[in-house]
Amino acid sequence: MEFTRTLGRSGIQVSALGFGCWAIGGEWQDRGGQPLGWGKVDDEESVRAVRRALDLGVTFFDTADVYGAGHSELILGRALGSRRDEVVVATKWGNLFDADTRTLTGADDSPEHLRRALTASLRRLGTDHVDLYQLHLADADPDRAARLRDACEELVAEGLIRAYAWSTDDPARAAVFAEGPHCAAVQHALNVLDDAPEMLLLCEKAGLASVNRSPLAMGLLTGKHRGGRPLETGDIRSRPPAWLRGFGDGSGADPAWLARVDALRDILTGGGRTLAQGALAWLWARSPRTVPIPGFRSVAQAEENAGALDKGPLTDGELAEVERILRR
C-alpha cells in the first residue's frame, strides 16, 4: 500500500516520509568555528542512499542552500539526476555563506536576496523549479516576512516555485505565511519527546502540512547514542547550540533524555519496528498532516527509515500509552 500525504492546500502529493538532507551536506561552520554539520560524509554513499530511498518509495527530499554551504543541494541534484520529475524537492533560503570556506556568514531577509538565492539553488539542484521553497530564518521580523510571502506569490506565478513555507517553531510567525494562497506548510521541530500542539493546531486551522524536522530528536530516537560517549568534533551535537536539546556540551547524549527514550522503547518497537521506525510511526499517528523528514548519511539508514512506511502509524492505543508513559 502506498502511504502518501498532501502538502497542505497545494495538492502536491508526497510520500508520508521525507528525507532531510542536512547531514549529507558534510562539514560546515559559523564564523566562530562552531560546527553546523553532522561530521564527515562520503558523497558517493550519499548519492547511493538518495537513490535507494527513491527505489523504496520516498518522493520528498528537504534540503537548504546553506547545508554544507551549497554542498547538500549539489549532491541531491546529482543523486536525483534524470529522476527529478519523480520527486518533490524542498529547499530553503535566508542564510548567507561562503562556499569556499564552508562558512555561514550572515542572513538576508530582503526580497532581492530571495530571488538571488532561488536562482543559485536552481543551478545547484540542476532543476528549473523548486516544489516547496522555505524561509530558513526562524525568528525573522513578521512584517518583513509578509513582504517575502508576497514575493513568493510572484515566484509561483512565474513557475519558479510551486508552493512555499516558513521553517519556524513560532505559530504566530507561521500564521503570517499561512495568509498567502500558495503557502502549503510549516516546517517545525516535532518528535515523541518534544510535542508541538500549538503548531499542529495552526496546521489544522490553516490547512497546512506539518513538515517535521528533528523527528528522531537529532539521533536520540535511533537508540545508537549512549550518555558520556563524545561525538566527533565536526558534529554540531559535539558543541550543541542553545536550541539543540538532549545533548550535553561535549559529553554526548543527555542521560535524562536517554532515560525517556528507554521508557518508550517497548511501545515504540512493537509490531517489529526499530526504535527509529516507532518514533516516525508516532508522528504519523499524532496528526494526519505530519510529514517527518529524518536525516541520513548511509544506505543502511535510508533503508531503515524508509522501512517505516510499510508499518504505518501507531494505533490509537499505542499513542495513548506513549502519553501515559511521558505523563503528558
Side-chain angles (χ1 to χ4, degrees):
M1 182 194 78
E2 207 180 1
F3 184 19
T4 61
R5 297 228 148 143
T6 305
L7 290 182
R9 309 173 289 214
S10 69
I12 299 170
Q13 287 265 306
V14 295
S15 52
L17 181 75
F19 269 35
C21 300
W22 178 8
I24 64 170
E27 293 183 280
W28 52 298
Q29 61 190 356
D30 69 12
R31 281 174 165 152
Q34 160 77 40
L36 296 172
W38 289 62
K40 292 181 174 59
V41 286
D42 174 346
D43 289 344
E44 299 311 312
E45 179 72 1
S46 299
V47 168
R48 286 191 292 270
V50 169
R51 291 176 179 166
R52 182 70 179 128
L54 273 169
D55 291 340
L56 293 170
V58 175
T59 63
F60 183 49
F61 292 87
D62 173 87
T63 185
D65 58 0
V66 76
Y67 293 162
H71 193 67
S72 175
E73 287 185 333
L74 286 167
I75 293 299
L76 179 60
R78 190 179 126 205
L80 295 177
S82 62
R83 300 180 71 178
R84 165 65 180 99
D85 291 345
E86 297 176 34
V87 303
V88 172
V89 171
T91 192
K92 309 180 194 77
W93 91 93
N95 289 294
L96 303 173
F97 55 90
D98 182 328
D100 293 332
T101 60
R102 290 204 171 199
T103 302
L104 173 70
T105 58
D108 189 336
D109 65 357
S110 70
E112 294 75 25
H113 174 68
L114 161 61
R115 197 169 278 272
R116 282 194 302 270
L118 177 60
T119 301
S121 285
L122 292 173
R123 187 180 68 246
R124 283 188 293 265
L125 288 162
T127 185
D128 62 359
H129 72 281
V130 165
D131 299 292
L132 184 69
Y133 203 35
Q134 302 161 104
L135 176 59
H136 206 182
L137 305 176
D139 299 325
D141 176 82
D143 292 333
R144 290 180 68 83
R147 290 173 58 208
L148 295 174
R149 176 197 67 210
D150 296 342
C152 282
E153 286 293 334
E154 292 172 21
L155 295 172
V156 172
E158 292 172 44
L160 294 171
I161 66 174
R162 292 172 71 194
Y164 55 89
W166 194 341
S167 178
T168 180
D169 292 323
D170 177 9
R173 281 180 165 84
V176 171
F177 258 39
E179 291 174 19
H182 291 91
C183 180
V186 55
Q187 182 170 142
H188 63 99
L190 179 66
N191 59 63
V192 66
L193 301 174
D194 208 4
D195 199 3
E198 288 180 26
M199 194 65 93
L200 290 173
L201 185 62
L202 172 74
C203 290
E204 190 64 42
K205 283 182 175 170
L208 304 178
S210 159
V211 177
N212 312 133
R213 65 177 130 76
S214 301
L216 302 178
M218 303 291 280
L220 291 176
L221 288 161
T222 64
K224 298 182 179 93
H225 288 277
R226 288 286 166 258
R229 198 167 77 189
L231 294 138
E232 62 178 292
T233 54
D235 189 324
I236 189 170
R237 297 168 297 182
S238 70
R239 288 169 55 193
W243 58 263
L244 204 171
R245 300 165 67 195
F247 288 88
D249 197 9
S251 62
D254 184 323
W257 282 65
L258 289 174
R260 293 164 71 204
V261 174
D262 283 337
L264 293 170
R265 191 178 300 270
D266 285 352
I267 192 79
L268 293 181
T269 56
R273 293 182 174 94
T274 66
L275 184 62
Q277 288 170 348
L280 296 170
W282 178 85
L283 285 159
W284 290 322
R286 180 68 182 82
S287 163
R289 297 183 174 274
T290 52
V291 184
I293 49 168
F296 64 101
R297 275 194 284 184
S298 68
V299 171
Q301 287 173 332
E303 290 175 340
E304 180 179 358
N305 290 342
L309 285 166
D310 297 330
K311 298 181 171 70
L314 295 183
T315 64
D316 290 345
E318 289 167 330
L319 192 64
E321 180 65 7
V322 166
E323 297 306 300
R324 188 191 67 76
I325 292 167
L326 293 177
R327 296 193 178 92
R328 284 202 289 233

